Amino acid sequence: MFQLSIIEMILFVLAAVVSLYYGYQGFRRIWQIINRGQGDFPPHDMGSRVGEALSDWALLKPTWDTRFVSSFFHAMVAWGFIFYFLVNLGDIVEGFFGVHFLGQGLVGNLFRLLADLLSVAVIVGMIYFLLRRFVFHSKDLEIRDNVKLMEKVRQGAVRRDSLIVGVFIILHVGFRFLGVSFGLAMEGMGDSWQPFASAASSLWSGFNDSTLTLLQHLSWWIALGLILAFIPYFPRSKHVHLIMSGFNFLTHPRRSSLGELEPMDFEDEEIEQFGAARLEQLPSTHILDAYACIMCNRCQDECPAYLTGKELSPSALEINKRYYINAHVNELAAGDDSEQLLTYAISDSALWACTACGACIEICPVGNEPMFDIMHIRRNQVLMESQFPHELQQAFRGMERSGNPWNLARGDRMAWASDLDIPTVEDNPEFDILWWVGCAPAYDMRAQKTARAFVAILKAAGVNFAVLGEMENCTGDSARRSGNEALFWELALSNIEVLDEFDVSRIVTTCPHCMHVLGKEYHQYGGQYDVIHSTQLIADLMLEGKIQSGPASSGPVTFHDPCYLGRQNDILDPPRQVLQGVSGDLVEMKRQGRQSFCCGAGGAQMWKEEEPGQKAVNESRYEEAAATGAKTIAVGCPFCLTMLTDASKQADQGIEVKDVVELVAEGLVDRG
C-alpha cells in the first residue's frame, strides 16, 4: 500500500503552505480588483441562484450551442478536472495515511473507475486542444489584425498561456495515472475497476518492487508537485475560468430579458461619473467577466460587426481586460486608477460598430456580457465626454425636441392616419389594448404601410383599441443604446406619466424595440405594462377565429427574426404560426430563432453611418435570406424592414421585403 515517509510528508506540508499562501494572495488581489467595480457585489440573493448556477457550470449548458466536437472534448477535460479536485484529495489522504481512499467497497470502486476513465478523457481532450491550436492552427482561435489587441496578446500571450495550461494538465493527470499503474504492477494483479491503469500496468511487469516503489513515489510527487507549483500561477492563467465561470453564473445580474440595461440615478447629486471610462467604473460583474472568459472566440463568431469586417471583437474586449489586469494587478488591487478603456480594451470604431443585438451574450459559454461593457463605455462617451458619431446629434435633438429621432414635427405624428378614423385614448377611454404606434410608422413612409395594414387587421377582428396620438413620444431605445441615458430617462418618465394617466396596462406594438423598452425596461422607473408584439396578437386572433387570412405571397417566404423579438424576448413561434396561415411554403435561414443574424440597425446604427468593414451587415443578412430561394423576406420590425429593403433594392433580385402584418392584411378574408 502506498504511503509517504515522514520526511516526504513534512516536505509536502511545507510546499503546500508556501503554494497556498501565494495562491491566496493572488485570489485576494482578484477579489480586491473585482470589488472596485460598481454595483452590489456579490448580490444579496446568491442563495436562490446556487442550483441554477451549479447546473450551468457543472453541465456546461451554454457550451453545447455550437462547435459540438470542440464542446465534446472540452467536456471531457472540464468534467475530468472538476472530478480531479476529489482525486487529488484522495491521493493526499492515501499518501499520508496509507489507506484506500473511500475504502474498497462499492463507493471506493466507483470512485476509482471514474478516476481511471476521466484521466484518459482529460489526456485525450487536452491532446486534441493542443493539436487544434498549435498544429492545425484553428481559425476559430484567431482574431483579425484590424481588431485592437494589447501588444503582449498580439505577440502570443494567449498561446503561451494555453501551452502552459495544456502541458500542466497533461503532465499532472498523466503522472497521476502512471502512479496508479505502477501501484497495480507492484500488486501483480489488474483491477477491473481501473481498466486503463490495469492495461498500462502490464508494461511494467519486468520491473522489480524497489523500482516500482521509486516510480510510484516520483509520480505522486510530480503529479501533486505540479499542482502546488501551479496554484500561485492559477489566478493569472486562463485556467482560472474553471472557477470563475461558476462564480459568474452565480453573481451576474438578473435581467427581465437578455438585453435589459441597468438604470442610472440622475437624481443622486453625489454621482460624478456616468458610464465607464476606466475598468473600475464598470460593474463588478463585468470585471469578473474578464476572469471567466475562456478565450474561445465564440462570441466573435456570432457578432455581426466582426463577421462583416469591423474592428469589433467581443472576445478581444474581454481578453484585453484580462491581460491589462494581469499587467497591473498590484496597482489595481491597491486602488490606483486604471487607464482609459479606449486606450487598450477597445477602439473607438469598434465601440460604435456594436448593434446591441445580444448575440455575444447569448452564445457565451461562461455567461459573459461584453455588449453591456460597450453600452457603459458609450454612456461615458456621450454623457461625460460628448464624443460620439456626429450623425447621432440629429437623432438626439429630434427625440429631445420633437419626440422622434427623425426630427420631424410632433404635430405630424398621426398625419399618416388622417383618413383611417383611428380612435385615440380620449375618443375611446374604455379600450382593451393600447396600440403603441411608434416613431417609424408615424414618420417613415415604408413603415406606414405596415401601420395601415395593422389598422385593417385590428378593425377586421373587432379589437377594441386606441392610440395615444400626438401624446406618444419615442420610447428612447436608440438613445439608451447609443449611450444617451439622460435622454432615455426623460423620455421614459414622460411616457410613463402619460400611460399611467390613461390607466394603460396592456400594449401592442409592431416594433420589437418599443416592445422591449416598454415591457422590459420601463419597470425600472415604475412603468409596469403587459406589452406584446403585433404577431402575438395576430396569432391569437387567428386562433380565436376572429380573422382569416389566405395566401398573400407567391413563392416561398423566409422569416428574419428581429434581434429584439427573438433573441432578446424569445418570441419565436407566433410570427411563424402567422406566416404558416398566409403561406404554406415557409423556409428557414441557417441562422434563425435566437441565433438569428442582425439586420444592422440596432444599437442606434439606424441613425449613423456604418463603421468601416468588408461588407454591410444588412447586405450579409439579405444574401443569407436570398440563398433560401425565398421570393419574400418577412420581417417583424420597422428597422429590419428598412435595412433589408435597402439591401434588396441594391441586390435587385426581385425579392420582396414585407412585414408579417402586411402579408396578413393582404390575405384578409372578408367574413361579412
Coordinates of all heavy atoms in Angstrom, one line a residue, residues 28 41 76 240 403 536 595:
R28 N -6.8 36.9 -3.5 CA -7.1 38.1 -2.7 C -7.1 39.4 -3.6 O -8.0 40.3 -3.5 CB -6.2 38.3 -1.5 CG -6.6 39.5 -0.6 CD -5.7 39.5 0.6 NE -4.3 39.7 0.3 CZ -3.8 41.0 0.2 NH1 -4.6 42.0 0.4 NH2 -2.5 41.1 -0.1
F41 N -21.9 43.8 -5.0 CA -21.2 42.5 -5.3 C -20.6 41.9 -4.0 O -19.9 42.7 -3.3 CB -20.1 42.8 -6.3 CG -19.5 41.6 -6.9 CD1 -20.0 40.9 -7.9 CD2 -18.3 41.0 -6.3 CE1 -19.5 39.7 -8.4 CE2 -17.8 39.9 -6.7 CZ -18.3 39.2 -7.8
M76 N -14.9 16.6 -21.8 CA -14.0 15.6 -21.2 C -13.0 16.2 -20.3 O -12.8 15.6 -19.2 CB -13.3 14.9 -22.4 CG -14.3 14.0 -23.3 SD -13.5 13.4 -24.8 CE -12.2 12.4 -24.2
V240 N -8.1 29.8 -14.8 CA -8.9 30.3 -13.7 C -10.4 30.4 -14.1 O -11.3 30.4 -13.2 CB -8.4 31.7 -13.2 CG1 -8.9 32.8 -14.2 CG2 -8.8 32.0 -11.8
G403 N -39.8 64.5 -30.0 CA -40.3 63.2 -29.6 C -40.1 62.1 -30.6 O -40.7 61.0 -30.5
Q536 N -47.9 38.4 -32.0 CA -48.5 37.6 -31.0 C -50.0 37.9 -31.0 O -50.8 36.9 -30.8 CB -47.9 38.0 -29.6 CG -46.5 37.6 -29.4 CD -45.9 38.1 -28.1 OE1 -45.6 39.3 -28.0 NE2 -45.8 37.3 -27.1
Q595 N -30.7 32.4 -32.6 CA -29.4 32.6 -33.3 C -29.4 33.4 -34.6 O -28.6 33.3 -35.4 CB -28.8 31.2 -33.6 CG -28.2 30.4 -32.4 CD -29.3 30.0 -31.4 OE1 -30.2 29.3 -31.8 NE2 -29.1 30.3 -30.1

